[in-house]
Structure formats: structure tokens, C-alpha cells
Amino acid sequence: VGLQSRDTGTLARLASEQSREASAKVALLDARVAQLDAQRAQVESVLQGLSRAKDDNLLVDVDSVVQMGLQQTQLTGSVQPLLAALVSSEKRLEHATQPRLVALQLAMAQDIEQLRKTSVSDVAMLATRIDNVLRQIDSLPLQSDMVPLPTASGKAHVAKRLPADAPWWQQWWGSVSDTALGLVRVRSIASRDAALLPPDQGFLVRENLKLRLLNARMALMSRQSDLARGDVEQVLQQLQGQFQADSPLVESARKQLQEVHSNIHSAELPQIRGTLEALSAANAAASVAGN
């Protein structure tokens, strides 16, 4: 009985020691697990901070691009800079991880569709057309300018159509006929006064055209579409009434100005209120999250 009692006591002590060792190991494991949880939480916090900082930087870049595109559109009168800025910004937002940027992406998509349907004058292109006509003004022939025209077929060069052995009087008459036909010019004119315009008045007519074209150009740049359209109409009327309509140069100038006239649209530039409001909301949310 005494031997069994000692064995039982020994087993009890061993069991107690093993229990304490097991408890110590469990406590150590718990401490390590807690340490790992703390490290994982720190890593997640760092990753979230990096992601938030990346999205915040993206938001700043997008805001800068949109504002720059808006300024270029206001300066040039063309919708293309703003449209390109919104398209590039929308593509960058597709990779954003913050849900607060989804509303901004949707607002940009709506404004992009609106811009693509908007008809706005391409001021740079129209100004280039006006500059081309300005450079041609001095070379455009007035109706009062005596520019020889090709003679009608069958009536010119009578002397050349005579045989070589024709009598002298026929050759003389053919030469006289060619000279006379070269002096005669039949041309329809829109105004008798335009045909009798003196040279010094012709200079004034050209300078008046230049001033009207410059006024049209300035009106385009200042978004005064009605004034620009009216000046172009006046120039077209002067080209029709005082310049030679059958001249290729005059016809080219008229076509360019007609293109300008037909492409002068409303001066109202498109608004992107949805994108600007979404940008403002996203910036406010970023400030709150940062604090």
C-alpha cells in the first residue's frame, strides 16, 4: 500500500509538472499569436495608408488635369482639351480602390457623353481659315482690274490658222483680228461702280476687307459668335460684288469664308458641373479620412 501510495504521488507530481509546462507553452503560444495579430494589424494599417495615399495622390492629379483641360477649353474655345482630360482621368480612376471615387468616375462618364454631343466652334481652325484669306486679299483681282481672259475657241489666233501661202492681205487681216480680239473683253459684273473703281479706291476696298476679317477673328477669340458671323457675311458680300467671281483665288477665298461662316456655333461652352461637384466631394472625404 505504501509503495502504491508513493507511485501515485510521483505520478501526480509528474502530471502537475507536465500541466504547468503545457500551460507555460500555451501562454507562450498565445503571446506569439497576439504578437502576430498585432504585426498583421500594423501591416494592414500600413497597406491601407499606402492605398489611401495612392488614391489621394490620384485624386490630386485628376483634379489638376481636369482644371487644366477646363482652362485650355476656355482659352481656345475648343472642347477637345477638356474632353481629352476627362477621358484620361476616367481611365486612371478605373484602377482606384477607394469606393468614394466611384461617384467621381460615374460623373466623368456622364460629362464625357455630354461633351461628345456638344457642338462648339473650333476657334483655332476658324482663325486659321481667316488668316489664310487675309494673306490672299492683296492678290485677289477686283472687277476693275484689267486681267486678260482666254479668248473663245474658234475666234482666237486667226493668223495662225491661215495657210502659209495665204495672200499678204489675209495674213495682215488675221494679225489685226488677233490684236483686236485681245483688246476686247466681255465679262458680266455685279455692279457698274465696281467695274469703274479707281486704283486708289481698290486699295481702300482691300484694307476694308482686312479690317473686317480681323474684327471677325477678334470676335471669335472673344466668344462673340454673332459679331463674327456678321463680319464674315459682309466680307462674302464684298467678294461677290467687287471682286472677279470667275477668279480661282476669289473662289478659294469664298469657300474658306463660307466654311468659317457655317462652323461658327454658339459661344456657350459646355459645363461639367457633375465632375466638379464629385471632385469637391471626393476632396472633402479625403480630408476627413486624413484627419
Side-chain angles (χ1 to χ4, degrees):
V1 175
L3 182 60
Q4 290 180 355
S5 177
R6 286 196 302 271
D7 291 340
T8 301
T10 302
L11 292 175
R13 287 193 300 272
L14 290 175
S16 178
E17 292 176 358
Q18 290 177 356
S19 176
R20 287 194 298 269
E21 291 178 358
S23 298
K25 290 180 178 179
V26 169
L28 181 61
L29 290 176
D30 290 339
R32 290 182 177 178
V33 169
Q35 185 179 5
L36 290 176
D37 289 340
Q39 292 178 352
R40 183 176 61 184
Q42 291 178 355
V43 171
E44 291 179 354
S45 177
V46 171
L47 291 178
Q48 289 178 359
L50 291 175
S51 178
R52 188 181 303 109
K54 179 181 178 182
D55 290 339
D56 291 343
N57 292 333
L58 174 60
L59 184 59
V60 172
D61 292 342
V62 167
D63 195 357
S64 300
V65 170
V66 171
Q67 294 297 335
M68 185 177 298
L70 187 59
Q71 292 177 1
Q72 291 179 354
T73 293
Q74 293 174 347
L75 290 175
T76 62
S78 174
V79 74
Q80 294 303 320
L82 182 56
L83 180 60
L86 290 181
V87 170
S88 63
S89 299
E90 185 194 20
K91 289 182 179 179
R92 295 185 63 184
L93 289 175
E94 292 178 354
H95 306 288
T97 58
Q98 293 294 330
R100 56 188 169 85
L101 298 181
V102 175
L104 175 59
Q105 186 178 359
L106 294 176
M108 283 187 174
Q110 294 177 357
D111 286 336
I112 287 173
E113 290 299 322
Q114 177 186 354
L115 291 179
R116 286 173 175 169
K117 297 177 182 178
T118 302
S119 179
V120 178
S121 300
D122 189 348
V123 176
M125 183 271 290
L126 299 182
T128 301
R129 296 288 188 274
I130 293 177
D131 291 340
N132 291 338
V133 178
L134 275 170
R135 287 191 290 267
Q136 298 175 0
I137 292 297
D138 291 331
S139 60
L140 299 181
L142 290 163
Q143 291 192 12
S144 58
D145 295 338
M146 298 302 295
V147 180
L149 293 176
T151 56
S153 61
K155 295 182 180 180
H157 307 293
V158 177
K160 292 184 179 180
R161 292 190 283 106
L162 293 175
D165 55 350
W168 67 269
W169 61 271
Q170 289 185 355
Q171 295 182 4
W172 174 81
W173 178 250
S175 177
V176 172
S177 299
D178 288 343
T179 303
L181 288 174
L183 295 176
V184 177
R185 178 178 180 181
V186 179
R187 173 166 53 88
S188 60
I189 59 176
S191 172
R192 180 181 64 181
D193 295 335
L196 300 177
L197 194 69
D200 56 341
Q201 295 297 319
F203 170 79
L204 295 178
V205 168
R206 298 179 194 276
E207 292 302 312
N208 183 44
L209 278 185
K210 293 178 182 178
L211 288 177
R212 285 198 176 276
L213 288 175
L214 288 174
N215 287 338
R217 195 180 193 281
M218 293 178 61
L220 276 175
M221 301 301 293
S222 59
R223 309 290 186 271
Q224 298 177 347
S225 56
D226 293 337
L227 292 178
R229 192 179 296 107
D231 287 329
V232 173
E233 288 177 357
Q234 291 292 331
V235 174
L236 285 171
Q237 292 177 5
Q238 286 187 273
L239 288 178
Q240 182 68 27
Q242 296 178 327
F243 290 80
Q244 298 178 18
D246 53 356
S247 169
L249 293 177
V250 176
E251 182 64 22
S252 174
R254 288 181 64 251
K255 287 183 178 179
Q256 292 187 72
L257 290 179
Q258 286 173 352
E259 181 182 359
V260 171
H261 185 270
S262 61
N263 284 281
I264 297 178
H265 303 298
S266 173
E268 291 292 335
L269 292 176
Q271 302 295 324
I272 54 170
R273 293 189 179 91
T275 297
L276 296 179
E277 291 176 357
L279 273 173
S280 179
N283 286 324
S287 299
V288 172
N291 296 331

